[in-house]
Amino acid sequence: MDQNKFARIAQVTVKLSAKFLRHRNYQKLEEAIGLLEATRRAELESGLPQEAYGVALVGNAGSGKSTALSHLFRTHPTLNLLRQDVVQADVASILVPSPSTLKLVGRSCLTGLGYPLQRDRTAGVIWELVQHHLQQRQTLLLHLDEAQDLMRSRSASEMTAVVNTLKSLMQHKEWPVGLVLSGLPDLKQLLNNDTQLGRRFEPIEFSQISYETDAGNVAKIIGQYGKESGLAVADEMLGRDVVQRLIYAGSSELGIVIKLIIAAIREALLSGSPRLETDHFIAAFSRKSGCVDDLNPFVREDFTETDPRLLLTTNEDLVTADTVWSGLK
Ligand SMILES: Nc1ncnc2c1ncn2[C@@H]1O[C@H](COP(=O)(O)OP(=O)(O)O)[C@@H](O)[C@H]1O
Ligand SMILES: [Mg+2]
């Protein structure tokens, strides 16, 4: 075993994984959050009672929602993200537990805000406490990630409670909070469930990528990441065949495609090759999915007959952000 070689490879892949690509949907998100922030601040300055609104970011698993919001909040010049050691925080970002209840989500918010509950309380009391602590910390925006779990397998009355809780956060008399919800496309159902709630949200979609619109950018990522890893990248790797297969293998989701490129680079470095080649994509897909060549979209002639979801998991019901990525990490 060559620990030094592994360490060098790990350094390269860690560096590549930490990179953030500003894609066109990210620019839309940046604009929507910028306006939301500016509106909250202008309302506060005006001193008039107002009602906040929100942004709903939807996209499939692996489209890059969590990464985009985390990058935006971490690098934003005027929005400071909640940390335990500071009282004032413009943004609090919370992961909705799965499976969840209104009460569990409220508890997660309280823990995130630094006030874990010691005793059991009703959902109503918990959400009043959430509102109270958001006001104490002067929090303008509350981000709930995987927000579709707020509506999974809910009865009509539970759905009403979720909708009312979200509305009351935004309509609070003294301290209305702007909501940023991110999640899978069925999050739209939650918002459409109530027209009053729905019209308070600006929707942003992280849509799938396609060969027709994104081939150039995907080729650029292969070229740039390859170069940064010290590998030569032949023109063939940036050509139609490889790029088409890559987009297909990544389920047309930008984040999955990027992860596959990094995984292929890792295979190239492991094999000691000075060049990035198709074989490395074959090896990356096969390592992550455990599939034979005949099911590998980088091998099979009629690659659209293969199933890129092999990369995700064998059990569709278990697909969550974590399981999707555990295959590629
Ligand atoms: N803009 C980006 N630049 C670089 N890597 C990205 C970008 N968006 C997503 N990724 C990669 O894709 C992975 C999956 O993205 P993630 O944000 O978890 O997707 P989602 O939350 O939509 O399921 C991330 O771990 C990250 O490595
Ligand atoms: Mg996510």
Side-chain angles (χ1 to χ4, degrees), residues 8-9 20 91 135 171 236 245 262 311 313 315:
R8 279 196 309 277
I9 295 173
F20 181 79
V91 185
Q135 183 164 3
Q171 294 174 333
E236 179 208 331
R245 287 171 189 267
I262 297 173
L311 261 197
T313 166
N315 184 343

Side-chain angles (χ1 to χ4, degrees), residues 16-23 26 59-68 145-146 184 206 225 254-256 258-259 262 320-321 324-325 329:
L16 291 180
S17 301
K19 283 171 79 71
F20 181 79
L21 300 173
R22 295 171 57 91
H23 46 92
Y26 180 73
N60 294 328
S63 58
K65 304 176 297 294
S66 305
T67 307
D145 196 12
E146 300 290 343
L184 299 178
F206 274 14
Y225 279 30
L254 178 68
I256 306 185
I258 294 172
K259 283 276 187 184
I262 297 173
T320 65
V324 167
W325 290 109
K329 264 169 193 156

